[in-house]
Amino acid sequence: MATIAPSRRVRRTPFSDGVEAAGVKGYTVYNHMLLPTVFRSVVEDYHHLKSAVQVWDVACERQVELRGPDAGRLMQMLTPRDLRGMLPGMCYYVPTVDETGGMLNDPVALMLSDDRYWVSIADSDMLLWVKGIAYAFHLDVIVDEPDVSPLAIQGPKADELAARVFGDGVKDLRFFRYGYFDFQGQQMLVARSGYSKQGGFEIYVEGAENGMPLWNALMEAGKDLDVHAGCPNLIERVEGGLLSYGNDMTRDNTPHECGLGRFCSTQTAIGCVGRDALLRVAKEGPVKQIRAISIEGELPPCDRLWKITAKDKVIGQVTSAAKSPDFNTNVAIGMVRMTHWDEGTQIQVETQDGPRMATVHEEFWI
Amino acid sequence: MATIAPSRRVRRTPFSDGVEAAGVKGYTVYNHMLLPTVFRSVVEDYHHLKSAVQVWDVACERQVELRGPDAGRLMQMLTPRDLRGMLPGMCYYVPTVDETGGMLNDPVALMLSDDRYWVSIADSDMLLWVKGIAYAFHLDVIVDEPDVSPLAIQGPKADELAARVFGDGVKDLRFFRYGYFDFQGQQMLVARSGYSKQGGFEIYVEGAENGMPLWNALMEAGKDLDVHAGCPNLIERVEGGLLSYGNDMTRDNTPHECGLGRFCSTQTAIGCVGRDALLRVAKEGPVKQIRAISIEGELPPCDRLWKITAKDKVIGQVTSAAKSPDFNTNVAIGMVRMTHWDEGTQIQVETQDGPRMATVHEEFWI
């Protein structure tokens, strides 16, 4: 296994000292920043995430801040989701597309006030897209990356841990809502959200200097809950069907192909870039779509597209895969053509180590 | 040292099979793609680069293609460099800035024809910026990332190796010019350019399937030249003062601060984004600028900003550093305030392992 080379360009986070002290063993790079991928082992981390509670350095979920009189107008330009019902205190998952309806990112937007939003991004420089649009349309808005770094608390004991640090009020937060909670005299934005199916919170830490005090407080408060440093877990996210931009969807895909049609109100999302392109696909539906796929046999790491074939014809691709201890199969995410996307369809997946028998499923492992 | 986690999102390149067979030991991620950082050791790679010839997988220098009647107009919008003299066959280094004059990227642009350009980018999703601008200004141009992957030949024996594969004509290429040369019946675009001071070429390989045949042909043809797989070398590039976007310059910096004022013809670059902001700095000059810095003592990896101080006041930052065997000092790149940027100024650099004595230089080690 090759190591990752240190450089300033691959940014450390406000929590990196804690991550290193916890013995991080693997990283990826996400939005030009370090994102841990494994601490003890992917399997050990997986079992622990499902049974206890973890603190995750997800500072790489960088924010694009829109601020000014045109912030709301710009926010609606970025997504086919109808934002008219959005209010301060709410988080919206907002697929973001270009003029052809191709996915540019799949961020979570937070409305802070009428004229201020944070867009918590997946792995592409959405800041540049938003800046380009705002500049060329002469919008009265400032677009920038603030010094805000999310830290996640995930796992079945997340409520208990969060309550110990932020008070019991945090337990009352509904899914994809946020509130402000006191930490050592500061108000911190805490949302009920996160990139796992185990539940939990994301704290949007403002000011890099506030990172380690919060990290340490959570680790200290959670000792008897068996809290550990963790990170988005490949196995758990594939089981749960949590898509990853750049892995399972790219600019080649529409939101509808990614199974995100329910977040698109293309008819009413007036002003959204890509509306024209998406109106037809919204009406007729996509010809290929994301599916859960179980694969037989031993698998190499899914570090490239794996073609899916049926009777020697290419009918899709697998983009993420992992061996699931709990479900006793290889779980995978892929894009499958309409002709083969029904439950139970037998297909073949072409890995770098050879072909594997596989089955299409309509539901993920949840 | 932590390892790098495999995923499709961190893209392999058309040359990855060759890179792995050559025993790559370290990677970074650049434009969502694997970029090798070390093969034998950084020092061994360094000596070899300066004495022989290397083949580099720099596929991560992705291309943004502009194609259509407005391609030329859009190209000039992207940079304060005056492009009126640009002709097919030429490569231009084009600092790219936002509306405030902040650096977004520092690509090399290739003019392919009147209505077609490739922009060979550093590590930011410039595609999104260019697409946003083109869309919002309703320009008649297609902006996309083509299937083009640069492979570099670098080192003092680069001419000899390139000539064996592409014919002697390739030796006549002038610096930052390109031509088309035959490889196994295909015309390949070969430029005299590359991210080292040792000289050489970059081949813009069209079609991923053409990657390994070219890689293998170069390795075979260069056996008696001691050709090795290599990569941009940290020590050599810092000695030579080759800046790295994301390391030595970011959106916080103007081109003038980066010492790139000579590439800015802000007065005549009509239509360039950021022109208003840069006119003043072009006239008055920047208050801080990139400098070569030699640092005493043992250094940790420069994986974060190192503040530069003088009499306890912060007067700059170091952003890249390496121990130079040939110059018997630690060589570094930093940004220094005008008050301390003269040759020979004594300063202090604050590393994560403590302060180090250092000296400012007006010239790099070339």
Side-chain angles (χ1 to χ4, degrees):
Chain A
M1 291 283 277
T3 60
I4 191 161
S7 74
R8 181 224 174 174
R9 182 175 52 76
V10 177
R11 298 177 285 181
R12 291 169 62 83
T13 87
F15 317 110
S16 288
D17 289 347
V19 161
E20 287 167 359
V24 62
K25 287 187 187 141
Y27 281 117
T28 188
V29 177
Y30 197 97
N31 285 324
H32 313 277
M33 196 169 249
L34 290 169
L35 171 62
T37 55
V38 56
F39 284 88
R40 289 182 284 187
S41 76
V42 176
V43 170
E44 212 171 337
D45 292 351
Y46 159 88
H47 289 304
H48 178 264
L49 169 62
K50 288 186 164 190
S51 60
V53 60
Q54 297 182 347
V55 175
W56 292 2
D57 174 1
V58 285
C60 67
E61 295 171 6
R62 305 309 297 164
Q63 308 305 303
V64 177
E65 178 171 300
L66 320 184
R67 189 158 50 84
D70 286 336
R73 180 178 163 206
L74 177 55
M75 190 67 237
Q76 183 64 81
M77 290 176 77
L78 299 177
T79 180
R81 184 162 179 185
D82 188 332
L83 302 181
R84 284 176 299 174
M86 196 176 191
L87 293 169
M90 292 184 179
C91 312
Y92 268 37
Y93 180 67
V94 285
T96 298
V97 300
D98 68 12
E99 74 283 3
T100 71
M103 296 280 294
L104 295 181
N105 205 290
D106 69 326
V108 173
L110 285 72
M111 185 179 187
L112 301 177
S113 65
D114 279 352
D115 60 359
R116 189 160 171 240
Y117 294 79
W118 282 345
V119 184
S120 190
I121 61 172
D123 183 35
S124 76
D125 295 336
M126 198 173 136
L127 180 71
L128 297 184
W129 170 252
V130 184
K131 276 177 66 76
I133 297 281
Y135 167 75
F137 279 123
H138 302 291
L139 299 186
D140 196 5
V141 63
I142 292 172
V143 179
D144 215 336
E145 180 182 309
D147 180 12
V148 173
S149 298
L151 184 69
I153 307 172
Q154 299 283 299
K157 297 178 185 169
D159 273 59
E160 177 59 26
L161 177 56
R164 289 184 188 181
V165 170
F166 294 105
D168 277 337
V170 81
K171 292 184 179 176
D172 298 330
L173 270 180
R174 288 157 57 201
F175 186 64
F176 262 47
R177 297 296 167 105
Y178 72 81
Y180 293 93
F181 296 88
D182 180 79
F183 173 71
Q184 300 182 352
Q186 275 184 67
Q187 292 297 103
M188 287 198 170
L189 192 161
V190 182
R192 189 180 285 277
S193 56
Y195 195 63
S196 85
K197 287 287 183 181
Q198 308 309 312
F201 303 90
E202 290 176 302
I203 305 124
Y204 289 70
V205 180
E206 291 187 75
E209 69 283 6
N210 297 311
M212 283 310 297
L214 178 61
W215 175 281
N216 289 331
L218 288 165
M219 288 300 178
E220 187 61 32
K223 270 185 182 161
D224 63 309
L225 301 175
D226 191 31
V227 67
H228 269 74
C231 49
N233 183 276
L234 176 66
I235 309 169
E236 197 268 352
R237 80 133 179 115
V238 174
E239 285 178 358
L242 291 172
L243 305 187
S244 164
Y245 186 75
N247 279 313
D248 309 310
M249 51 192 169
T250 71
R251 210 160 45 83
D252 288 335
N253 306 116
T254 64
H256 301 79
E257 289 174 356
C258 305
L260 306 176
R262 67 188 183 282
F263 297 104
C264 299
S265 343
T266 317
Q267 281 287 356
T268 58
I270 311 293
C272 138
V273 178
R275 186 165 175 263
D276 297 348
L278 287 180
L279 277 173
R280 185 159 302 275
V281 70
K283 202 169 146 191
E284 300 184 355
V287 299
K288 58 185 175 184
Q289 201 163 39
I290 287 284
R291 280 291 181 271
I293 295 166
S294 57
I295 308 178
E296 295 171 26
E298 288 293 312
L299 291 184
C302 186
D303 61 358
R304 63 199 84 183
L305 287 183
W306 290 342
K307 285 181 188 165
I308 302 176
T309 56
K311 292 182 190 158
D312 295 331
K313 268 181 61 182
V314 177
I315 52 94
Q317 58 190 35
V318 164
T319 47
S320 298
K323 183 174 178 174
S324 163
D326 284 354
F327 295 96
N328 201 28
T329 183
N330 296 302
V331 294
I333 298 174
M335 188 80 74
V336 184
R337 287 186 72 81
M338 178 178 240
T339 47
H340 293 75
W341 72 24
D342 288 341
E343 174 71 36
T345 307
Q346 299 297 305
I347 54 176
Q348 188 167 293
V349 174
E350 315 290 339
T351 80
Q352 60 267 35
D353 287 359
R356 299 287 186 273
M357 300 299 295
T359 307
V360 176
H361 303 284
E362 293 187 355
E363 299 290 333
F364 281 89
W365 292 264
I366 37 180
Chain B
M1 292 284 276
T3 59
I4 192 161
S7 74
R8 179 223 173 174
R9 182 176 51 76
V10 176
R11 298 176 285 181
R12 292 169 61 83
T13 86
F15 317 110
S16 288
D17 289 347
V19 162
E20 288 166 359
V24 62
K25 287 186 186 139
Y27 281 117
T28 188
V29 177
Y30 198 97
N31 287 323
H32 313 277
M33 196 169 248
L34 290 169
L35 170 62
T37 56
V38 56
F39 282 88
R40 290 183 283 187
S41 75
V42 175
V43 170
E44 211 172 336
D45 292 351
Y46 159 88
H47 289 304
H48 178 263
L49 170 62
K50 288 185 164 190
S51 60
V53 60
Q54 297 182 347
V55 175
W56 293 4
D57 173 1
V58 285
C60 66
E61 296 170 5
R62 305 310 297 164
Q63 308 305 303
V64 176
E65 178 170 300
L66 320 184
R67 188 158 50 86
D70 285 336
R73 178 177 164 207
L74 177 56
M75 190 67 237
Q76 182 65 82
M77 292 175 78
L78 299 178
T79 181
R81 183 162 180 183
D82 189 332
L83 302 181
R84 282 177 299 175
M86 196 176 191
L87 293 170
M90 293 183 179
C91 312
Y92 267 39
Y93 180 66
V94 284
T96 299
V97 299
D98 67 13
E99 72 285 1
T100 72
M103 297 279 295
L104 296 181
N105 204 292
D106 69 326
V108 172
L110 285 71
M111 185 179 186
L112 300 177
S113 65
D114 280 350
D115 59 359
R116 188 159 171 242
Y117 294 79
W118 282 345
V119 184
S120 189
I121 62 172
D123 183 35
S124 76
D125 295 336
M126 198 173 138
L127 180 71
L128 297 185
W129 171 252
V130 184
K131 275 177 66 76
I133 298 281
Y135 166 75
F137 280 123
H138 302 289
L139 298 184
D140 196 6
V141 61
I142 291 171
V143 179
D144 216 335
E145 180 181 310
D147 180 12
V148 173
S149 298
L151 184 69
I153 308 173
Q154 300 283 298
K157 297 178 186 167
D159 273 60
E160 177 60 26
L161 177 56
R164 290 184 187 180
V165 170
F166 294 106
D168 277 337
V170 80
K171 292 184 179 176
D172 298 330
L173 268 181
R174 289 158 56 202
F175 187 63
F176 262 47
R177 298 295 168 104
Y178 72 81
Y180 292 93
F181 297 87
D182 180 80
F183 173 72
Q184 298 182 352
Q186 275 185 71
Q187 292 298 101
M188 287 197 172
L189 192 161
V190 182
R192 189 180 286 276
S193 57
Y195 195 64
S196 86
K197 288 285 183 182
Q198 307 311 311
F201 303 90
E202 289 176 303
I203 305 123
Y204 289 69
V205 180
E206 291 188 75
E209 69 283 4
N210 297 312
M212 284 310 299
L214 177 61
W215 175 282
N216 289 331
L218 287 165
M219 288 299 176
E220 186 62 32
K223 269 184 182 164
D224 63 307
L225 302 174
D226 191 30
V227 67
H228 270 73
C231 49
N233 183 278
L234 176 65
I235 311 169
E236 197 267 353
R237 80 133 179 114
V238 174
E239 285 178 358
L242 292 173
L243 305 187
S244 163
Y245 186 76
N247 280 313
D248 308 311
M249 52 193 168
T250 71
R251 210 159 47 82
D252 288 336
N253 305 116
T254 64
H256 301 79
E257 290 173 355
C258 305
L260 306 176
R262 67 188 182 282
F263 297 105
C264 298
S265 343
T266 318
Q267 282 287 356
T268 57
I270 310 293
C272 137
V273 178
R275 184 164 178 264
D276 297 348
L278 287 180
L279 276 172
R280 186 158 301 274
V281 71
K283 200 168 147 190
E284 301 184 353
V287 300
K288 58 185 176 185
Q289 201 163 41
I290 288 283
R291 281 290 180 274
I293 296 166
S294 56
I295 308 177
E296 296 172 26
E298 287 294 312
L299 292 184
C302 187
D303 61 357
R304 64 199 83 183
L305 287 183
W306 291 342
K307 286 181 186 166
I308 302 177
T309 58
K311 293 182 187 159
D312 294 331
K313 268 180 62 183
V314 177
I315 52 93
Q317 59 190 33
V318 164
T319 47
S320 298
K323 182 174 179 174
S324 163
D326 284 354
F327 295 96
N328 200 28
T329 183
N330 296 302
V331 294
I333 298 175
M335 188 78 75
V336 184
R337 286 187 73 82
M338 175 179 245
T339 48
H340 292 77
W341 73 24
D342 288 341
E343 173 70 35
T345 307
Q346 299 296 304
I347 55 175
Q348 189 166 297
V349 174
E350 316 291 340
T351 79
Q352 61 266 37
D353 287 359
R356 300 287 186 272
M357 301 300 297
T359 307
V360 176
H361 304 282
E362 292 187 356
E363 299 289 334
F364 281 88
W365 293 265
I366 36 177

